[in-house]
Amino acid sequence: MSRRLPLILLAVTTLSILAVTLWPNPDSGDGRPLARVIVEWLHTAGMPTVITFEAVEFSANIVMFVPFGLFLALSLPRWMWPWTIVLGLAFTLLIEVVQSIFLPERFASVSDLIANTAGALIGGGISLLGRRRRVIPPRPSARTEPV
């Protein structure tokens, strides 16, 4: 597989993640995060209350980083796919530090580190499903068998 398309998709995914994570937190007009208001509305519409905002946010962070891990792993040689875990963690650390320093309305958290890294790991693992090891065909035998 050519690495050009995965690199392009990795760049698009990375920029999308940066836009989502470094955009000032949108609120609903009353100071509460819009996502929290939506989850509360879904509770009133019948969604089980066991599905909390924190659970939705954690799951969304995992899902957001799956494409990152997938396209990163596809951009690397197959044997380097575990680097998706390290680079996913490093990318998340960078985001959390920037949020902590420059975006007081955003909150850096360990749960984001865990979820984002897990998403990168899942994406890297998925990359293995579509990639096959190069199989070396057996060499023809030098011996000839009698006919």
Side-chain angles (χ1 to χ4, degrees):
M1 168 188 272
S2 167
R3 292 194 181 121
R4 178 175 278 173
L5 181 59
L7 278 171
I8 292 168
L9 294 172
L10 175 61
V12 170
T13 301
T14 301
L15 291 174
S16 299
I17 290 171
L18 288 172
V20 167
T21 58
L22 299 181
W23 195 265
N25 207 10
D27 65 37
S28 61
D30 62 0
R32 293 183 302 155
L34 183 58
R36 186 175 296 277
V37 171
I38 291 170
V39 170
E40 290 170 359
W41 178 82
L42 289 171
H43 285 154
T44 62
M47 182 174 79
T49 56
V50 71
I51 301 173
T52 63
F53 169 75
E54 291 75 18
V56 170
E57 181 183 39
F58 189 82
S59 301
N61 282 339
I62 291 172
V63 170
M64 179 171 58
F65 267 74
V66 169
F68 175 84
L70 174 63
F71 300 137
L72 177 59
L74 292 175
S75 300
L76 300 169
R78 177 178 160 72
W79 64 270
M80 290 183 68
W81 83 266
W83 276 96
T84 59
I85 304 163
V86 175
L87 295 173
L89 175 62
F91 184 40
T92 300
L93 277 170
L94 173 69
I95 290 168
E96 297 299 312
V97 166
V98 170
Q99 283 180 347
S100 179
I101 295 171
F102 298 107
L103 297 168
E105 63 277 355
R106 301 292 291 231
F107 299 100
S109 72
V110 174
S111 69
D112 287 350
L113 287 171
I114 293 167
N116 297 351
T117 305
L121 167 64
I122 292 166
I126 290 171
S127 77
L128 297 175
L129 299 175
R131 297 170 96 178
R132 295 185 182 149
R133 291 182 186 249
R134 198 173 278 163
V135 178
I136 301 171
R139 293 184 349 184
S141 174
R143 292 182 22 188
T144 57
E145 297 193 22
V147 188

